[in-house]
Amino acid sequence: MTLVVASGCEVTSAGDPGGPAGPAGPPSSGGGGTEALDTLTIAEARSMKGYSREKFPHWRDAGDNCDVRDTVLKRDGDKVKFSGCNVVAGSWDSWYDGKKLDTPTQVDIDHMVPLANAWRSGADGWTNDKRGDFANDLDRPQLFAVSASSNRSKGDQDPSTWKPPARDAWCTYAKDWIEVKSYWKLTVTQKEKEALTDMLGTC
């Protein structure tokens, strides 16, 4: 999602009361690994029939008229400044590709496990409320501020067809992917598991 920057409002820094609150750092815990991967169910990707992003309601309110997206931007950024809840300045390190981003228009919020991939992996059988919980999950390593170019290159692909351009990100990326799929009890394809196994080999 591309960020829209508003003007004509008072500018506050992330440390000011006017900025949205959020965790101190990315939730990446490296909790996923070979043992967790082996517990995931292998299955063919399901149909995309009936899918729409609207069935994964996001971004949820996070207080002070701000939302989950704002929370991630603050959490992952440095010297972030807001106009109301709109980000107007800051810098972000895009760990997918090693890019340093110095304007919010270059930043997207990526779902580690894309919404469409989740749909094909079992979320098609969830309620919209549960899909909303997944799409706004700040407790697992599911949401990250990264370069818009890497997010759009990734799209809804799994690791068998897309990996972070920065090879040194593969270990963390694979562990995070596994942790999210494990918690939400989503399936993996055989090729996806093989790709994740190869990526864990870089740890």
Side-chain angles (χ1 to χ4, degrees):
M1 175 179 289
T2 303
L3 305 181
V4 179
V5 181
S7 60
C9 300
E10 181 182 359
V11 175
T12 60
S13 71
D16 293 335
S28 180
S29 65
T34 302
E35 290 185 5
L37 177 59
D38 287 340
T39 68
L40 297 180
T41 299
I42 298 175
E44 293 295 323
R46 302 191 189 192
S47 169
M48 286 292 288
K49 183 179 180 180
Y51 169 79
S52 73
R53 290 180 65 85
E54 287 68 31
K55 293 183 178 179
F56 291 80
H58 62 290
W59 305 102
R60 283 181 177 165
D61 177 66
D64 297 325
N65 295 317
C66 300
D67 60 26
V68 167
R69 184 191 69 181
D70 303 316
T71 301
V72 177
L73 287 169
K74 177 188 176 181
R75 184 199 69 197
D76 291 358
D78 182 45
K79 298 180 180 177
V80 179
K81 293 185 178 181
F82 296 86
S83 175
C85 284
N86 293 299
V87 176
V88 296
S91 63
W92 294 263
D93 291 315
S94 175
W95 64 282
Y96 285 3
D97 50 13
K99 291 182 178 180
K100 184 77 171 182
L101 312 173
D102 56 10
T103 175
T105 58
Q106 299 173 320
V107 185
D108 275 3
I109 304 303
D110 179 59
H111 288 91
M112 169 60 63
V113 175
L115 307 184
N117 181 278
W119 180 270
R120 295 192 298 269
S121 304
D124 58 336
W126 298 349
T127 63
N128 280 4
D129 282 346
K130 183 174 180 178
R131 285 190 285 261
D133 292 342
F134 172 83
N136 295 277
D137 188 357
L138 288 167
D139 296 321
R140 261 62 55 183
Q142 167 67 343
L143 298 169
F144 294 98
V146 298
S147 68
S149 58
S150 65
N151 181 45
R152 295 167 197 184
S153 171
K154 173 182 174 179
D156 66 352
Q157 300 178 82
D158 69 50
S160 69
T161 53
W162 189 91
K163 298 176 179 63
R167 187 180 175 87
D168 60 4
W170 286 11
C171 173
T172 299
Y173 189 89
K175 287 184 176 182
D176 289 353
W177 182 282
I178 294 165
E179 182 175 348
V180 172
K181 284 221 161 177
S182 178
Y183 178 83
W184 290 99
K185 295 179 171 57
L186 296 169
T187 62
V188 293
T189 66
Q190 182 61 43
K191 288 184 177 180
E192 182 181 345
K193 182 175 182 178
E194 292 169 359
L196 288 165
T197 300
D198 287 344
M199 293 172 78
L200 288 175
T202 67
C203 296

